[in-house]
Amino acid sequence: MKLRLAIDQGNSSTKLSIFDNEKIVAAERHDKLTVAALDDLTTRFHVASAIYSSVIGNDDDITKLLESKKIRYCVVDENLPLPIKIDYATPHTLGHDRIAVAAGASACNPGKNMLVVDSGTAITYDVISADNHFRGGNIAPGINTRFEALSHYCAQLPLITADGEVPLTGYDTPTAIRAGVILGVVAEVTYMAKKLSAIYGNDLIVMLTGGDSNIIAGRLAISNKVEINNNLVTLGLNRILQYNELL
């Protein structure tokens, strides 16, 4: 059995996913990935090939371990051949997670126009067209980042979380903050979906991924088809690895 490993190193944690073809057969999340943990996983599952994506800078210890175990691997950067076309004017500045999300979305819905919303520390709004092009997108603060910014920069405002009531209009300071932040993000997604549908058609699919996708999805009132897939990054990494193995 030829197993693949996708290493998704994010801002706050690293996700390791083992693939058998397109199926995820095991997954682990580490607040800080250690060489010992990676060594154990690759041994237990007899990994044959791997792909490494990091938004915080590549860790040489990770690639050295893969080399020592003779695991064929590739690292996501602007020079890696991709199964999608990147139209970004500065591909070297495009986040590796955004590249992977785009590849994952394209694999899930080939031949479809999509708005992909990845909601984590930051929220990215990316457009993948039906002809398999990454057209570009926007970057905004994530939900928790907005809570933290209000508390940090406004001396009288408390730090709250997304847990709790979200009324249309707040009746006290915590609900006013929560409603302002969460409904503001929902309004952003709604606006983007409406504007992009006017360009790409009403069959535009809105794909949600990331830790806050369920918070957003439950409040969207749009005519577009909405899908949630919190494995888009890892699915995209596996797709990119498969593509490179065929070259």
Side-chain angles (χ1 to χ4, degrees):
M1 183 184 299
K2 181 181 179 182
L3 297 179
R4 299 183 182 91
L5 168 64
I7 305 171
D8 171 25
Q9 191 169 41
N11 287 297
S12 57
S13 64
T14 299
K15 185 176 181 181
L16 306 175
S17 301
I18 301 291
F19 283 85
D20 179 7
N21 291 320
E22 286 77 35
K23 181 181 179 181
I24 299 175
V25 295
E28 297 180 356
R29 188 177 294 277
H30 298 264
D31 291 337
K32 181 172 177 54
L33 179 61
T34 64
V35 170
L38 184 59
D39 186 22
D40 174 68
L41 183 70
T42 53
T43 298
R44 281 189 286 120
F45 287 95
H46 305 290
V47 170
S49 59
I51 184 167
Y52 175 36
S53 171
S54 176
V55 300
I56 61 174
N58 295 336
D59 185 340
D60 290 341
D61 289 338
I62 290 177
T63 55
K64 286 178 180 177
L65 175 69
L66 297 175
E67 289 170 358
S68 71
K69 303 191 76 169
K70 294 182 170 50
I71 295 173
R72 291 179 291 107
Y73 72 91
C74 56
V75 176
V76 178
D77 61 24
E78 68 274 13
N79 298 313
L80 185 68
L82 299 171
I84 57 173
K85 304 297 183 183
I86 302 296
D87 294 344
Y88 218 53
T90 55
H92 61 282
T93 69
L94 183 60
H96 300 165
D97 54 338
R98 293 175 70 189
I99 294 173
V101 160
S106 180
C108 290
N109 288 300
K112 300 293 184 180
N113 293 307
M114 290 172 282
L115 166 63
V116 184
V117 182
D118 187 355
S119 54
T121 304
I123 300 176
T124 56
Y125 301 89
D126 291 321
V127 179
I128 295 87
S129 56
D131 59 356
N132 210 31
H133 280 241
F134 177 95
R135 296 295 183 183
N138 301 335
I139 304 173
I143 287 176
N144 287 327
T145 303
R146 297 181 198 211
F147 287 142
E148 291 169 0
L150 285 172
S151 176
H152 179 76
Y153 289 107
C154 303
Q156 301 300 315
L157 296 183
L159 177 61
I160 68 164
T161 69
D163 297 326
E165 188 179 355
V166 185
L168 180 60
T169 55
Y171 53 79
D172 58 14
T173 300
T175 55
I177 295 172
R178 189 177 298 114
V181 168
I182 292 177
L183 298 183
V185 171
V186 171
E188 286 178 16
V189 178
T190 302
Y191 177 86
M192 290 295 294
K194 179 180 179 180
K195 289 295 186 179
L196 289 168
S197 292
I199 299 171
Y200 292 99
N202 291 327
D203 60 346
L204 176 88
I205 297 172
V206 176
M207 295 200 73
L208 303 177
T209 191
D212 293 328
S213 55
N214 286 316
I215 295 174
I216 299 168
R219 294 177 171 85
L220 282 178
I222 57 178
S223 59
N224 305 79
K225 180 181 179 181
V226 177
E227 297 181 4
I228 299 177
N229 190 326
N230 285 323
N231 289 316
L232 276 188
V233 171
T234 48
L235 290 172
L237 291 177
N238 184 59
R239 177 69 186 91
I240 294 169
L241 180 56
Q242 289 177 308
Y243 181 80
N244 277 268
E245 288 176 344
L246 294 175
L247 296 178

